[in-house]
């Protein structure tokens, strides 16, 4: 099978291996985030505001990984999952929804830390900070609603594409084949759908960093419990800055892929797949590193921290 004439029939094992590694890592990391939130809920009987946003982000990334895995499995195994055009439109809508919701949940997380850390003179922002517990559910509702409508509008670009609206009843093309025919449209749609969330993340992170620097100057020689919180927030913002750099690099590469690679390079579509599937594992890894509670949970679960602590205790007793 040769999707859109871009690649030979036999895809290299290297590409398959990298795609499998990216998807499995992304699913593992986001499944860990969901499990960590559930584990924390069992202990505290409540879910923190930041964990609510992380949960939505992790679920959207898991759904994206499942959809991409389904498309690639259909391509490599010729399952014929998309015999008609209607399942194709439904799949595209779900895929665009996961991409869009991921962007907006990322923006919500950045906006949450911005509200949580910064001091405001505006009544609106002051009310949000005072009522952050009641504001977060409303923000998540708006995030989901915007993602639904944004994905619907984005899907219209594919509905009116001749490459997708043609007769597909005579054979069962894979989703990879269908996407390769409209690869430039798909990249353009992904960029348009996520550019506004990216601007929100970029702006809120910058304002948060500025607010922290101002607060650090005021508390330079003051040792209070607030200073401990500020140091923890500084670590979060530092990691958020790393996320921001990752978003910038990701967008630059996506733009290069859109304007140059897909048009001029035969394997550009597979480069697009590698790029899209790299987003989830890298973002989830940065989020785990940014949260001390998630880092501790990761060490306890995967590095057997409780066993190490038990052995160190026995050695001290001996």
């Amino acid at each position: 099978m040769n999707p859109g004439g871009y690649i030979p029939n036999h895809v290299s094992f290297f590409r398959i291996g990298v795609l499998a590694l990216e998807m499995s890592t992304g699913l593992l990391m986001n499944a860990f985030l969901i499990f960590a939130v559930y584990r924390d809920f069992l202990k505290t009987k409540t879910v923190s505001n930041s964990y609510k946003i992380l949960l939505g982000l992790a679920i959207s990334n898991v759904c994206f990984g499942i959809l991409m895995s389904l498309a690639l499995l259909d391509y490599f195994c010729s399952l014929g999952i998309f015999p008609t055009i209607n399942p194709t439109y439904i799949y595209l809508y779900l895929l665009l929804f996961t991409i869009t919701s991921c962007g907006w949940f990322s923006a919500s997380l950045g906006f949450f830390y911005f509200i949580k850390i910064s001091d405001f003179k505006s009544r609106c922002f002051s009310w949000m900070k005072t009522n952050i517990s009641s504001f977060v559910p409303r923000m998540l509702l708006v995030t989901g609603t915007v993602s639904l409508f944004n994905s619907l509008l984005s899907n219209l670009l594919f509905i009116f594409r001749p490459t997708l609206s043609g007769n597909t009843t005579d054979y069962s093309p894979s989703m990879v084949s269908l996407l390769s025919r409209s690869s430039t449209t798909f990249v353009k749609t992904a960029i348009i759908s996520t550019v506004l969330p990216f601007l929100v993340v970029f702006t809120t992170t910058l304002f948060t960093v500025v607010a922290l620097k101002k607060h650090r100057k005021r508390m330079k020689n003051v040792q209070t419990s607030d200073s401990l919180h500020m140091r923890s927030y500084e670590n979060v913002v530092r990691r958020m800055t790393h996320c921001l750099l990752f978003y910038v690099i990701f967008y630059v590469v996506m733009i290069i892929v859109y304007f140059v690679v897909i048009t001029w390079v035969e394997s550009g579509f597979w480069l697009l797949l590698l790029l899209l599937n790299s987003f989830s594992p890298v973002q989830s890894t940065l989020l785990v590193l940014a949260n001390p509670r998630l880092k501790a949970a990761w060490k306890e679960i995967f590095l057997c921290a409780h066993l190490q602590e038990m052995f160190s205790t026995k050695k001290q007793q001996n």
Side-chain angles (χ1 to χ4, degrees):
M1 185 178 296
N2 189 352
Y6 286 120
I7 62 172
N9 290 330
H10 300 287
V11 183
S12 67
F13 287 104
F14 174 76
R15 291 174 184 168
I16 299 174
V18 172
L19 282 172
L21 179 62
E22 288 179 340
M23 289 187 294
S24 59
T25 304
L27 288 172
L28 173 64
M29 293 298 298
N30 286 284
F32 162 73
L33 290 176
I34 296 174
F35 174 74
V37 174
Y38 176 72
R39 182 169 172 262
D40 187 73
F41 172 75
L42 292 180
K43 291 181 177 180
T44 62
K45 303 303 180 182
T46 185
V47 180
S48 64
N49 293 315
S50 60
Y51 271 16
K52 291 177 183 177
I53 305 174
L54 279 174
L55 181 62
L57 179 59
I59 291 175
S60 65
N61 280 332
V62 167
C63 292
F64 172 80
I66 293 175
L67 289 173
M68 289 301 302
S69 300
L70 180 64
L72 292 173
L73 184 65
D74 175 51
Y75 172 75
F76 290 118
C77 300
S78 300
L79 299 179
I81 301 176
F82 307 98
T84 60
I85 199 64
N86 290 332
T88 302
Y89 290 147
I90 295 174
Y91 176 90
L92 283 173
Y93 176 77
L94 294 176
L95 185 64
L96 291 171
F97 174 72
T98 57
I99 293 174
T100 306
S101 61
C102 176
W104 279 109
F105 276 119
S106 301
S108 299
L109 190 62
F111 188 74
F112 169 78
Y113 285 116
F114 167 68
I115 294 294
K116 189 77 174 177
I117 295 173
S118 303
D119 295 324
F120 305 100
K121 296 181 180 179
S122 170
R123 291 184 178 180
C124 180
F125 287 117
S126 297
W127 177 87
M128 291 180 185
K129 185 169 185 175
T130 305
N131 302 275
I132 190 68
S133 297
S134 61
F135 172 72
V136 168
R138 301 178 187 180
M139 182 171 63
L140 295 179
L141 178 62
V142 172
T143 296
T145 304
V146 171
S147 300
L148 285 171
F149 282 101
N150 196 348
S151 304
L152 180 61
L153 294 176
S154 300
N155 203 33
L156 294 177
L157 294 176
F158 289 94
I159 291 177
F160 294 105
R161 288 283 300 179
T163 54
L164 293 183
S165 59
N167 183 16
T168 59
T169 58
D170 297 333
Y171 64 99
S172 298
S174 68
M175 179 54 62
V176 173
S177 301
L178 294 172
L179 285 178
S180 68
R181 301 173 189 173
S182 305
S183 53
T184 54
T185 303
F186 184 72
V187 178
K188 179 174 67 176
T189 303
I191 293 175
I192 293 175
S193 300
T194 55
V195 64
L196 184 56
F198 166 74
L199 292 176
V200 173
V201 172
F202 181 81
T203 304
T204 54
T205 302
L206 286 180
F207 276 106
T208 304
V209 172
V210 172
L212 281 174
K213 289 184 177 180
K214 291 181 179 179
H215 194 80
R216 188 191 305 122
K217 290 181 180 180
R218 293 195 300 265
M219 302 180 63
K220 187 175 182 180
N221 298 319
V222 178
Q223 297 295 328
T224 64
S225 59
D226 289 339
S227 63
L228 298 177
H229 291 291
M230 290 307 303
R231 283 199 296 271
S232 66
Y233 285 141
E234 286 175 355
N235 292 331
V236 171
V237 172
R238 189 179 302 110
R239 297 301 183 182
M240 287 170 58
T241 304
H242 295 164
C243 292
L244 180 62
L245 292 175
F246 164 65
Y247 294 146
V248 171
I249 295 173
F250 186 84
Y251 264 82
V252 170
V253 176
M254 285 285 287
I255 292 174
I256 293 175
V257 168
Y258 174 65
F259 285 104
V260 179
V261 177
I262 287 182
T263 305
W264 299 100
V265 180
E266 292 184 354
S267 59
F269 178 72
W270 289 97
L271 177 61
L272 169 64
L273 290 183
L274 293 173
L275 178 64
L276 286 175
N277 284 279
S278 68
F279 183 87
S280 177
V282 176
Q283 184 195 42
S284 55
T285 300
L286 292 175
L287 290 175
V288 171
L289 293 175
N291 193 310
R293 293 164 63 187
L294 292 176
K295 286 177 63 177
W298 178 270
K299 292 179 181 179
E300 182 178 352
I301 296 172
F302 294 98
L303 300 182
C304 299
H306 59 288
L307 294 178
Q308 296 177 6
E309 183 179 355
M310 183 178 65
F311 286 130
S312 62
T313 304
K314 287 184 177 180
K315 288 182 179 179
Q316 291 177 0
Q317 291 176 354
N318 295 331

